[in-house]
């Protein structure tokens, strides 16, 4: 006789476990269970049938895989959580007995971070488990950087301690220093949410979001305990990643940190990078500093080490020369020179000669000296300029320490970045002008000669296009070109703001726009002839009534051609509008050019109707499944084309308004 199966012993009921059962099995509190699941990467699962999985009468909402919970039983952090729970019970019992000395002794012996600075537990082993290779950690770095940059800009509260904010800010600045040294930054985009950055590290694209430097307001509907758990994990992850990145380029980690400079707002300038004590022939990477002396190894010791390494290399090269045979005379020497294509016969085709590219995007701003006005965002501008080769950046003293110069009149400055409207201040009798935060005195005699004045968007557009944009388009007070996202690639048929409108609009849209322009011109000419008063003679009213009574445009059955019916309908609409406004209906003369455009539009409409009919007949030959799929594709394409048409019409209207404004001016 077969063994009778009991409910909940096999199948889905055995594969899933509820959250309450998991907490009881692990002997943890619910907050500790949440922490452990977040750190280990274990998330709730949704079974197909909750009734079969649930072992109780009440419907459970949260389920986990039983194997995942079984895996958590061997986690070393469980013992740490239990020790902490035991310690809290001992302290509470001592306080309940009134034995304050025992409670104080328990607290002194406990390794509390706010007392001794030592963590109660570490997440190093979890990082090694979840990311076996360094590439795995880089692929999961997007959310890590976005979260840490967000917490670095938050104010300190009871839910977000100041130590966590300082740790996040320091890790983020260390990561930015690596991007500056390695020139790994590729693109950046200014959006409503914040500033997007994209870097390429070991052929992996990393995209993260940095909020603007505004005063953040802490709201109560956000659970910062859950976010703090993620931040604790991400801080450990970024520490591992920074260590690996720094050692890969020959730098010591962590870099030296000057607390005094950081308190004065230096940020990137508060760090000084050092190279490891390894003798190399190449130049070791150095941090970009504004003329400050960098700390390094002892020069005497380094000179002796370099001398010894040089002697060893010379001995090895001499031994290799004696052992190797002389190379053949007919072998070509390997050179880095570019091949030159010459015609074989006189008068032959001359091929274009290859040339080496002299423009390196990573050194885009290497030859310039920038000065940032006090209204510009200093932190993102400094980071981007340094990441693309700039070594000399000055700014106003109110923006913090670490600048190349705080003197605006420094003659070495080549580019001045301003973000204020060009409004000349009124001059007083003494000759002094009133200046405020919304205006800037940029009169021609007050500008420094030989200096280029641009707006901050010039930096972002130059970086994204990998070339220096024309400064005239970004001059102070000029209408800036559209700032487009470099992460979106435009497809064929999609609206592209960089192309002219005539190159991407359809034939029907072009005809409608031309007819609309012609109608506006005709309306402007007719308004001059029509009287504005509303007093109409009785004879004119009688004539209008006779015209209305004699009009037979509504008898569609009597008309044989659809085009004539449409013309009659339009004529009737014009008569009704004239009757309401108390004006005469005047027949507008249509020139031959407009008439040709009307006929072309009618031909396009007829062609579109014919194509729609053919398409409907073709859809009838498809199966039901394929027809539904085809209709979904049609719906998506029509929706995209409608959005593109809306953008083109908006741009056409703005261009007309701009042309009218220029004509009036």
């Amino acid at each position: 006789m077969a063994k009778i199966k009991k409910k909940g012993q096999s199948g889905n009921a055995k594969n899933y476990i509820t959250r309450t059962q998991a907490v009881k099995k692990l002997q943890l509190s619910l907050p500790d269970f949440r922490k452990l699941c977040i750190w280990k990467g274990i998330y709730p699962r949704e079974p197909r049938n909750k009734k079969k999985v649930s072992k109780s009468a009440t419907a459970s909402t949260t389920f986990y895989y039983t194997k995942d919970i079984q895996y958590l039983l061997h986690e070393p952090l469980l013992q740490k959580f239990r020790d902490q729970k035991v310690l809290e019970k001992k302290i509470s019992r001592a306080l309940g007995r009134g034995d304050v000395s025992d409670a104080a002794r328990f607290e002194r012996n406990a390794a509390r971070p706010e007392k001794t600075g030592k963590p109660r537990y570490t997440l190093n082993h979890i990082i090694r488990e979840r990311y076996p290779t360094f590439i795995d950690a880089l692929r999961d770095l997007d959310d890590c950087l976005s979260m840490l940059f967000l917490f670095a800009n938050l104010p300190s509260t009871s839910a977000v301690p100041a130590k966590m904010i300082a740790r996040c800010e320091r890790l983020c600045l260390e990561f930015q220093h690596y991007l500056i040294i390695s020139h790994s930054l590729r693109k950046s985009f200014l959006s409503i949410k914040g500033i997007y950055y994209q870097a390429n590290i070991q052929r992996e694209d990393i995209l993260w979001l940095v909020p603007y430097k505004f005063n953040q307001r802490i709201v109560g509907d956000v659970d910062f305990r859950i976010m703090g758990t993620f931040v604790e994990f991400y801080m450990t992850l970024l520490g591992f990643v920074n260590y690996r990145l720094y050692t890969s380029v020959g730098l010591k980690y962590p870099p030296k940190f000057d607390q005094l400079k950081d308190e004065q707002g230096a940020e990137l300038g508060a760090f000084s990078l050092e190279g490891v004590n390894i003798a190399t022939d190449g130049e070791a990477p150095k941090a970009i500093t504004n003329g400050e002396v960098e700390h390094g190894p002892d020069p005497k010791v380094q000179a002796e080490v370099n001398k010894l390494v040089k002697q060893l290399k010379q001995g090895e090269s001499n031994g290799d020369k004696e052992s190797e045979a002389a190379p053949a005379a007919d072998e070509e020497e390997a050179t880095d020179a570019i091949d030159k294509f010459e015609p074989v016969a006189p008068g032959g085709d001359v091929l274009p000669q290859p040339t080496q590219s002299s423009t390196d995007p990573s050194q885009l701003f290497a030859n310039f000296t920038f000065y940032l006005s006090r209204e510009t965002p200093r932190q993102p501008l400094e980071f981007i300029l340094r990441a693309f080769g700039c070594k000399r950046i000055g700014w106003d003293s109110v923006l913090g320490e670490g600048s190349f110069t705080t003197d605006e009149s420094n003659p070495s400055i080549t580019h001045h970045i301003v973000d204020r409207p060009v409004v000349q201040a009124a001059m007083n009798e003494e000759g002094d002008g009133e200046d405020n935060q919304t205006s800037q005195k940029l009169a021609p005699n007050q500008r420094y000669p030989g200096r280029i004045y641009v707006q901050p968007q010039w930096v972002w557009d130059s970086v994204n296009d990998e070339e220096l944009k024309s400064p005239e388009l970004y001059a102070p007070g000029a209408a800036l070109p559209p700032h487009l996202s470099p992460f979106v690639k435009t497809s064929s048929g999609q609206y592209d703001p960089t192309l002219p409108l005539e190159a991407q609009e359809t034939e029907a849209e072009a005809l409608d726009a031309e007819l609309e322009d012609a109608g506006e011109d005709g309306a402007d000419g007719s308004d001059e002839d029509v009287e504005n008063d509303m007093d109409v003679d009785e004879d004119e009213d009688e004539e209008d009534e006779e015209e209305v009574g004699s009009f037979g445009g509504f008898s569609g059955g009597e008309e044989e051609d659809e085009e004539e019916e449409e013309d009659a309908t339009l004529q009737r609409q014009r008569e009704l509008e004239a009757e309401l406004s108390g004006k005469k209906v005047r027949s507008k003369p249509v020139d031959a050019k407009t008439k040709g455009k009307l006929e072309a539009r009618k031909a396009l409409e007829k062609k579109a109707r014919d194509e729609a009919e053919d398409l409907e007949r073709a859809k009838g030959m498809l199966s039901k499944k394929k027809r539904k799929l085809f209709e979904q594709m049609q719906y998506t394409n029509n929706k995209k084309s409608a959005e593109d048409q809306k953008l083109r019409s908006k741009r056409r209207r703005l261009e007309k308004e701009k042309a009218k404004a220029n004509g009036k001016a």
Side-chain angles (χ1 to χ4, degrees):
M1 184 176 177
K3 191 175 182 180
I4 299 175
K5 289 186 178 180
K6 294 183 180 181
K7 185 179 179 181
Q9 298 295 328
S10 63
N12 287 333
K14 186 178 181 181
N15 295 333
Y16 292 92
I17 186 173
T18 62
R19 187 180 66 181
T20 306
Q21 293 172 348
V23 170
K24 289 181 179 178
K25 189 172 186 178
L26 296 175
Q27 299 179 5
L28 289 175
S29 61
L30 187 58
D32 291 341
F33 176 73
R34 286 201 191 105
K35 280 185 179 182
L36 197 59
C37 289
I38 290 173
W39 292 339
K40 298 290 287 186
I42 295 174
Y43 300 99
R45 306 294 177 175
E46 186 70 19
R48 291 184 179 179
N49 194 340
K50 287 188 176 182
K51 291 183 179 180
K52 292 183 179 180
V53 173
S54 181
K55 301 176 184 177
S56 60
T58 58
S60 302
T61 56
T62 307
F63 294 93
Y64 292 88
Y65 281 143
T66 307
K67 290 185 177 180
D68 291 343
I69 303 303
Q70 195 75 21
Y71 171 66
L72 290 180
L73 287 173
H74 308 284
E75 175 58 40
L77 288 177
L78 280 178
Q79 189 60 37
K80 296 288 184 181
F81 290 149
R82 291 166 184 167
D83 293 343
Q84 181 66 23
K85 190 176 180 181
V86 169
L87 177 64
E88 291 175 358
K89 284 185 177 180
K90 287 181 179 179
I91 295 174
S92 62
R93 288 198 193 102
L95 292 176
R97 293 193 305 266
D99 195 351
V100 182
S101 60
D102 280 354
R105 179 171 56 84
F106 289 141
E107 288 187 354
R108 284 195 303 269
N109 295 337
R112 293 186 176 273
E114 61 270 13
K115 296 295 182 182
T116 62
K118 297 179 181 179
R120 288 171 293 179
Y121 51 81
T122 60
L123 305 180
N124 299 342
H125 66 284
I126 297 181
I127 298 296
R128 298 190 192 99
E129 288 177 6
R130 293 188 61 176
Y131 307 106
T133 62
F134 185 60
I135 298 299
D136 296 333
L138 291 179
R139 289 171 182 167
D140 201 22
L141 208 58
D142 298 354
D143 295 337
C144 171
L145 291 174
S146 299
M147 183 72 77
L148 293 184
F149 273 100
L150 172 63
F151 268 71
N153 293 327
L154 291 180
S156 61
T157 59
S158 58
V160 186
K163 289 184 178 180
M164 178 184 290
I165 296 174
R167 176 65 176 161
C168 291
E169 185 177 4
R170 183 167 178 176
L171 287 170
C172 293
L173 292 175
E174 290 172 357
F175 182 73
Q176 286 184 344
H177 261 295
Y178 168 76
L179 297 179
I180 292 172
I181 291 296
S182 61
H183 302 291
S184 301
L185 190 65
R186 293 293 178 264
K187 297 175 183 178
S188 181
F189 175 62
L190 299 169
S191 70
I192 299 176
K193 297 179 180 180
I195 305 176
Y196 285 92
Y197 295 98
Q198 186 184 48
N200 187 274
I201 301 175
Q202 297 187 8
R203 300 181 181 179
E204 290 292 334
D205 289 333
I206 302 171
L207 179 67
W208 71 97
L209 176 65
V210 178
Y212 293 109
K213 288 283 185 178
F214 296 143
N215 291 330
Q216 304 291 338
R217 184 170 58 90
I218 302 297
V219 293
D221 56 350
V222 178
D223 192 355
F224 282 96
R225 294 177 301 171
I226 303 296
M227 297 182 68
T229 304
F230 279 99
V231 168
E232 191 174 355
F233 175 77
Y234 286 148
M235 285 191 299
T236 309
L237 172 61
L238 190 57
F240 271 84
V241 172
N242 285 347
Y243 173 78
R244 179 68 179 269
L245 293 176
Y246 271 63
T247 54
S248 65
V249 294
L251 295 176
K252 284 185 178 180
Y253 186 81
K256 287 189 176 180
F257 179 69
D258 193 340
Q259 185 68 31
L260 181 60
K261 287 185 178 180
D262 184 66
E263 292 175 356
Q264 295 173 352
E267 294 194 355
L268 286 173
F271 292 87
S272 57
L273 308 186
E274 293 182 353
V276 295
N277 294 332
I278 298 177
T280 55
D281 293 338
E283 185 180 356
K286 299 178 181 179
I288 300 175
T289 56
N290 290 317
E292 298 177 359
V293 180
E294 297 182 359
H295 301 282
D298 190 1
K300 295 182 179 180
V301 177
Q302 189 67 29
E304 294 293 335
V305 173
N306 292 340
K307 185 178 179 181
L308 181 59
V309 171
K310 188 176 180 181
Q311 292 176 358
L312 293 174
K313 287 186 176 181
Q314 287 179 355
E316 291 178 359
S317 61
N318 294 333
D320 294 340
K321 288 180 181 179
E322 294 176 359
S323 61
E324 293 180 356
D330 55 348
E331 288 184 356
E332 296 182 358
E333 296 182 358
T335 59
D336 295 335
I338 298 178
D339 296 336
K340 186 177 181 181
F341 301 105
E342 298 179 354
V344 179
D349 295 337
V350 179
L351 299 175
Q353 303 298 327
T355 57
Q356 286 182 345
S357 177
S358 59
T359 59
D360 186 9
S362 63
Q363 301 295 326
L364 194 62
F365 307 120
N367 300 325
F368 304 141
T369 302
F370 287 85
Y371 186 83
L372 311 179
S373 295
R374 64 179 182 270
E375 74 279 358
T376 57
R378 174 212 140 186
Q379 289 83 4
L381 282 174
E382 180 190 6
F383 170 54
I384 293 178
L385 292 175
R386 292 193 187 281
F388 284 87
C390 184
K391 293 179 171 49
R392 299 173 299 277
I393 306 174
W395 53 76
D396 197 277
S397 58
V398 299
L399 297 179
E401 295 293 329
S403 64
F404 168 71
T405 179
T406 57
D407 185 11
E408 188 177 354
S409 61
N410 193 312
S412 62
I413 297 173
T414 59
H415 290 71
H416 196 133
I417 300 179
V418 296
D419 196 16
R420 296 182 183 180
V422 184
V423 179
Q424 187 174 2
M427 302 299 291
N428 298 331
E429 295 180 357
E430 293 89 4
D432 188 15
E434 181 183 357
D435 194 8
N436 52 33
Q437 292 293 332
T438 60
S439 64
Q440 186 176 17
K441 296 179 289 185
L442 290 178
N445 57 349
Q446 292 173 335
R447 287 193 179 186
Y448 295 99
R451 186 178 299 185
I452 298 175
Y453 288 84
V454 292
Q455 298 188 47
Q457 186 180 331
W458 176 81
V459 177
W460 271 271
D461 290 349
S462 299
V463 165
N464 294 335
D465 293 344
E466 296 183 354
E467 63 177 5
L468 296 175
K469 306 295 286 185
S470 177
E472 290 80 10
L473 301 175
Y474 302 86
L480 296 173
H483 180 59
L484 305 177
S485 173
F487 313 115
V488 178
K489 295 182 180 179
T490 57
S491 58
S492 60
Q494 190 178 1
Y495 173 71
D496 189 1
T498 59
L499 296 178
L501 196 59
E502 294 79 7
Q504 49 185 334
E505 63 182 358
T506 60
E507 187 177 356
E509 291 180 8
L511 285 173
D512 292 341
E514 292 175 358
L515 290 173
E516 186 180 353
D517 295 341
E520 290 179 359
D521 296 340
D524 295 340
S526 62
D527 289 343
E528 297 176 357
D529 300 334
V530 177
E531 298 177 356
N532 294 327
D533 58 339
M534 300 298 294
D535 298 333
V536 184
D537 297 338
E538 295 178 359
D539 299 336
E540 293 179 356
D541 293 341
E542 292 176 358
E543 291 176 1
D544 293 343
E545 291 175 0
E546 291 176 0
E547 290 177 0
V548 172
S550 62
F551 178 73
F554 285 101
S555 57
E558 299 176 359
E559 297 291 335
E560 296 179 356
D561 194 4
E562 295 179 357
E563 298 178 0
E564 295 179 1
E565 183 180 354
E566 293 177 0
D567 295 340
T569 306
L570 293 174
Q571 180 68 16
R572 174 61 178 166
Q573 185 178 359
R574 286 196 293 267
E575 289 176 355
L576 290 174
E577 291 177 356
E579 184 178 355
L580 291 173
S581 62
K583 299 177 182 178
K584 285 186 177 181
V585 180
R586 300 190 179 186
S587 60
K588 298 180 181 179
V590 180
D591 55 352
K593 190 175 181 180
T594 307
K595 190 174 181 180
K597 292 177 182 177
L598 289 171
E599 293 176 354
R601 186 175 66 176
K602 291 178 182 178
L604 285 175
E605 292 175 355
K606 184 179 180 182
K607 183 180 178 182
R609 286 195 299 268
D610 295 342
E611 290 178 354
E613 291 176 359
D614 295 340
L615 190 60
E616 288 295 329
R617 286 193 294 269
K619 283 168 60 178
M621 303 297 293
L622 298 174
S623 63
K624 186 177 180 180
K625 183 178 180 180
K626 292 183 178 179
R627 185 168 63 251
K628 286 186 177 180
L629 179 61
F630 182 73
E631 289 175 354
Q632 290 178 358
M633 294 168 58
Q634 271 190 315
Y635 174 77
T636 305
N637 294 336
N638 293 337
K639 188 177 180 180
K640 289 181 180 179
S641 60
E643 293 176 355
D644 296 339
Q645 184 178 359
K646 186 178 179 181
L647 291 173
R648 287 193 291 266
S649 62
K650 182 179 180 181
R651 179 178 174 183
R652 190 181 297 108
R653 187 183 73 252
L654 293 175
E655 289 180 354
K656 287 181 182 178
E657 293 176 357
K658 186 176 180 181
K660 288 181 180 179
N662 294 335
K664 291 180 181 180

